[in-house]
Structures are given as C-alpha cells and as structure tokens.
Amino acid sequence: MASATRKASFLPFLLLFVTINPSNSATDTFVFGGCSQLKFISGSPYEYNVNSILTSLVNSAMFTSYNNFTIRASGSASQDTVYGLFQCRGDLSNGDCARCVAKAVSQLGTLCLDSTGGGLQLEGCFVKYDNTTFLGVEDKTVVVRRCGPLVSTSSDALARRDAVLAYLGATDGTYNPFRIGGSGDVQGVAQCVGDLSPSECQDCLSEAIGRLKTDCAAAKWGDMYLAKCYARYTEGRDRSHGGNDTNNNDDEIEKTLAILIGLIAVVALIIIFLSFLSKLCEKGGKDFPNALTLQVVNKQTIPSLHTANLGLSAALFLFL
C-alpha cells in the first residue's frame, strides 16, 4: 500500500536535456525524468504492482511501439492500482524500441526508487507509471523548452523552419501521432503519446508547435516537450549540448583539454625528475656501493633504488 492515501501528483524533480539531431542521436540518450514525491512501503502490494507493470511494459515493447496497462492485483486495495504506458519514437524498429524501453525502465527504477509515480523520456522512448490514472488524459503542461542561438530573421533557414513546422502541424483528419519532415537542411519531428484521441493528439501537437515557433523565435534549433507530446526542429547538425549557445560546449572542451595537457605536463616533469634522480643515485653508487643496496639476513638482495625508480617511471607512463 502507498504510504499516503491521497493521490500523487507527477512532479518532475530532475530536468536534463541533451539537444541532438533527432534522426541521428542514440535512442537511449537521457532527455528528462520526474518522480512523485510520495513513497510506497517496501514489500507492499503496491511495490509488487509497480514491478509487474514495468515488466509488462518491457515485454510489450518487443511487439509494438505503444501500449498501456492497468494492474489491479486480486485482493489488493484500490489505492494499490498502478497505471503505466510506454511510447517509442515512430521510426524505431521493434528491437530498438524494446531496448530503449528496457533502458528507460532500468533508469526509472534508480531515479524514482520507492516513488508511487514516475516518468522518463529518452531520445527514443517515453515510460510513465502512477497510482493516479493519466491514460487518455490530455496534458499540455510544458516539461522542457530549449532553444538554440538566434539566426537572422531574413535567413532562408527561418523560412524553411516555418515550412517544416507548418507541415508537422498539418492534418488530413487521419490519426497520425508521429510526424517527420524536412526542407533543405532543416529537419523536424513531432509525436504525441498513443493514449490520446486523434483530436487530442492534434490539439497537443498544435500547442507544442505554436509554442516552439513563438518561444524560440528565430532560433537555429528548438525543442518543445509537453507532458503528452513534443515537437523539435534543427538546422543541419548545429545543436548545443546542455546550453543555449553552441559555444558553451566548445568552451567546456577547451577547458577539459587544457586540464589534460596540464596533467600530462606535470607527469612528464615527474618522470624527468625521477630519471635525473636515478642517474644521480647511480653515480653516487659508484663511490658508495653499499649506500643504495640493502642485504637481508638470507643474503637475498632487495632491488636498488635505481630499479625501483624505473618501475615507478614505467607505471606513470602506463597511467598516461
């Protein structure tokens, strides 16, 4: 049984977004995750139901790109009911979908340990469970919004961006939860969760695309994740990794390289010093043959300091 009788609200406590070209990124790249603040009691029927529903999601992902489950174990109380779903990106194979969902469930188990509800979005799939029913409920809450650096408002890329977003937002009346399109080097993708009706899906995608166009203005790339759908676009492959400016990533790489070069220089100086010290000791050993070699009672010789220094130098070299 859950540790509180009131229903848990889904409150994202960890947001981390990696902005990568949707068609080329790894399917298990972490996008965002969130957990309910309420906890269930270890060993309770609710924990058993959570484990059961997550297992069902993983097994089902081997055969379909979307499914949802409701688990009510016989004899358990109503508050022990668990609802869950998974949604894979529309262009993934069954094998890639299953691997992505398995990865998401594994991370979700660590991220939301003992939480009554949680959700995790990877690049290729979305997984969510809760003790409050959310299946078939439209939710246009903004979860993640990221925009790239601005481009000129007169740029042809901006016109192509608008054309791609218009294409993603268009509908012919049929149910089309996954949409992908491009114009020149501008690419876009949009998708809604499979539990929404056709009209709800269109409404959610229209909201995400509208917000993306407004909030990101003339940005070179943009990502808008709502609770039940998302829309993304990018110009070429120019996307940042964790910042609103692509230069941020370059600065971090330069800092890392500077640190590595500094460490290499320090270790090189140590090796030179040890080599000089070993030569000095070797020279001193000619005048004092017993100074650097010790004898034990059984007449076995302990390696000289020169040998030990060479070993240490080799170890430091291997460390590099």
Side-chain angles (χ1 to χ4, degrees), residues 22-23 91 164 167-168 176 178-182 187-190:
S23 63
D91 58 348
V164 170
Y167 175 80
L168 296 178
N176 186 19
F178 178 73
R179 306 170 186 183
I180 188 168
Q187 301 175 12
V189 61

Side-chain angles (χ1 to χ4, degrees), residues 208-269:
I209 292 170
R211 284 180 175 270
L212 187 60
K213 189 173 181 179
T214 300
D215 294 359
C216 291
K220 205 165 188 179
W221 53 260
D223 305 276
M224 184 66 64
Y225 277 83
L226 307 186
K228 282 294 183 77
C229 67
Y230 67 84
R232 309 173 68 183
Y233 75 89
T234 180
E235 179 186 351
R237 298 176 179 270
D238 189 10
R239 304 178 69 93
S240 84
H241 296 264
N244 289 335
D245 192 336
T246 55
N247 291 330
N248 291 344
N249 191 46
D250 294 336
D251 292 341
E252 291 299 321
I253 293 175
E254 291 176 1
K255 291 177 182 178
T256 302
L257 288 176
I259 293 173
L260 290 176
I261 292 172
L263 289 174
I264 292 173
V266 170
V267 175
L269 289 174

Side-chain angles (χ1 to χ4, degrees), residues 11 13 45 47 49 57 99 125 154 159 172 197 265 267 282 302 308:
L11 300 175
F13 75 94
E47 179 182 27
N49 291 347
L57 296 178
R99 282 186 287 271
C125 61
S154 61
D172 57 2
S197 67
V267 175
E282 186 177 323
I302 297 178

Side-chain angles (χ1 to χ4, degrees), residues 14-281:
L14 176 62
L15 291 178
L16 179 63
F17 192 66
V18 183
T19 49
I20 305 175
N21 189 323
S23 63
N24 295 304
S25 58
T27 58
D28 60 353
T29 300
F30 182 82
V31 178
F32 68 82
C35 311
S36 170
Q37 292 181 324
L38 295 181
K39 301 290 184 179
F40 58 76
I41 300 173
S42 179
S44 65
Y46 190 81
E47 179 182 27
Y48 175 83
N49 291 347
V50 168
N51 292 334
S52 296
I53 205 165
L54 293 180
T55 300
S56 298
L57 296 178
V58 173
N59 292 337
S60 180
M62 294 186 292
F63 308 101
T64 181
S65 62
Y66 165 79
N67 209 345
N68 68 78
F69 295 90
T70 300
I71 292 186
R72 300 182 180 89
S74 59
S76 62
S78 60
Q79 61 263 33
D80 292 324
T81 300
V82 185
Y83 308 88
L85 63 75
F86 75 89
Q87 172 76 70
C88 286
R89 205 173 64 203
D91 58 348
L92 296 188
S93 65
N94 287 342
D96 288 338
C97 177
R99 282 186 287 271
C100 184
V101 172
K103 182 74 172 181
V105 167
S106 175
Q107 293 186 10
L108 192 60
T110 302
L111 185 68
C112 299
L113 183 64
D114 295 341
S115 291
T116 57
L120 187 76
Q121 175 76 58
L122 298 183
E123 190 71 30
C125 61
F126 174 66
V127 172
K128 182 177 179 179
Y129 75 94
D130 207 342
N131 66 342
T132 301
T133 181
F134 57 89
L135 301 177
V137 178
E138 185 178 5
D139 188 351
K140 296 184 288 186
T141 303
V142 176
V143 181
V144 172
R145 178 189 70 87
R146 296 299 296 258
C147 304
L150 297 181
V151 296
S152 172
T153 55
S154 61
S155 172
D156 291 339
L158 186 58
R160 292 195 297 271
R161 189 283 307 266
D162 290 343
V164 170
L165 292 182
Y167 175 80
L168 296 178
T171 178
D172 57 2
T174 60
Y175 182 56
N176 186 19
F178 178 73
R179 306 170 186 183
I180 188 168
S183 176
D185 60 348
V186 178
Q187 301 175 12
V189 61
Q191 186 173 23
C192 58
V193 180
D195 64 325
L196 298 182
S197 67
S199 60
E200 290 171 336
C201 176
Q202 182 62 33
D203 184 47
C204 188
L205 290 179
S206 297
E207 177 75 12
I209 292 170
R211 284 180 175 270
L212 187 60
K213 189 173 181 179
T214 300
D215 294 359
C216 291
K220 205 165 188 179
W221 53 260
D223 305 276
M224 184 66 64
Y225 277 83
L226 307 186
K228 282 294 183 77
C229 67
Y230 67 84
R232 309 173 68 183
Y233 75 89
T234 180
E235 179 186 351
R237 298 176 179 270
D238 189 10
R239 304 178 69 93
S240 84
H241 296 264
N244 289 335
D245 192 336
T246 55
N247 291 330
N248 291 344
N249 191 46
D250 294 336
D251 292 341
E252 291 299 321
I253 293 175
E254 291 176 1
K255 291 177 182 178
T256 302
L257 288 176
I259 293 173
L260 290 176
I261 292 172
L263 289 174
I264 292 173
V266 170
V267 175
L269 289 174
I270 293 175
I271 294 175
I272 293 173
F273 173 75
L274 290 176
S275 178
F276 171 78
L277 182 62
S278 65
K279 290 181 180 179
L280 183 63
C281 292

